[in-house]
Structure formats: structure tokens, C-alpha cells
Amino acid sequence: MYLAMNRFTVPLENASEFEELWLSRESRLQDMDGFVSFRMLKGAEDQGRILYASHTVWQTEEHFRAWTTSDEFRASHARAGQSRKLHEGAPQFEGFRAIQKIEALQPA
């Protein structure tokens, strides 16, 4: 498993617009081999800013890398440069390979 995450620091006054941009965008993730899941996470407000983290789970890092060079990736990010910048600085990318997995037991 490979988890790819981007963190965004968003000024409080831009939070609603930032969320709407993410919630209304067309995702092409489901079309990709190796895609497992996507989450957009919202952290607590701190000093007039909110930390958001988007993360995708992939079967392998190679599947994630294929996504980043795909036509689907370009299509789903096409609007990114058309709106005003809503977050501070560049998104901070972090990639992780799983070394352990523990899941909840399913009820009998």
C-alpha cells in the first residue's frame, strides 16, 4: 500500500471557497488502476488558519506515479490554475509505504 498526501494551510477567510473547490471538482481517480481510496481531511482552526490534508491510497507507489503522469490527472487538475490561490505557500507533499496494517475485526 502507498499513501500520497498533500497538506494545505488555508487562511480562515478562504476556507469555504477552498472546500467548495475540492467538493465540486471532477475526480478521475476511480478510473485509475491501483486506486484504493481518497479522503480530504479538515483539521482544527489555529491562529486564523486551517490545515487540510488530501490523501489517496494506492496499491503501490508505481500506481500513484502512473496517476501523476496520466491524462486523468491533467484533466482533474485543469481548473487548479484558473482560480485564485486559496492556500498559503505550496502544498506539502508526503508519500508513505505501509509497513504494517491492522484492521477492525468484522462482527460474526
Side-chain angles (χ1 to χ4, degrees):
M1 180 190 81
Y2 185 77
L3 184 135
M5 180 170 56
N6 279 297
R7 292 189 293 153
F8 304 87
T9 302
V10 178
L12 189 57
E13 63 269 15
N14 295 346
S16 292
E17 192 174 349
F18 180 83
E19 289 179 23
E20 179 58 30
L21 179 68
W22 276 91
L23 295 172
S24 66
R25 73 186 218 155
E26 182 181 347
S27 174
R28 304 285 174 96
L29 290 166
Q30 306 90 319
D31 300 335
M32 298 302 299
D33 287 337
F35 170 73
V36 176
S37 66
F38 170 84
R39 301 275 191 290
M40 172 54 88
L41 307 173
K42 180 179 180 179
E45 178 187 339
D46 183 32
Q47 298 181 356
R49 295 175 179 84
I50 299 175
L51 179 65
Y52 290 85
S54 67
H55 72 80
T56 52
V57 177
W58 299 87
Q59 290 174 3
T60 67
E61 184 175 355
E62 291 73 25
H63 285 108
F64 167 72
R65 299 284 173 212
W67 156 248
T68 64
T69 59
S70 70
D71 290 338
E72 291 85 354
F73 179 89
R74 284 185 287 286
S76 67
H77 291 83
R79 289 182 17 199
Q82 296 174 354
S83 60
R84 69 183 182 94
K85 188 172 177 183
L86 301 173
H87 53 84
E88 296 177 351
Q92 183 174 349
F93 174 79
E94 297 171 321
F96 302 91
R97 282 181 292 292
I99 62 169
Q100 183 181 30
K101 180 179 179 181
I102 300 173
E103 295 182 344
L105 298 176
Q106 299 300 319

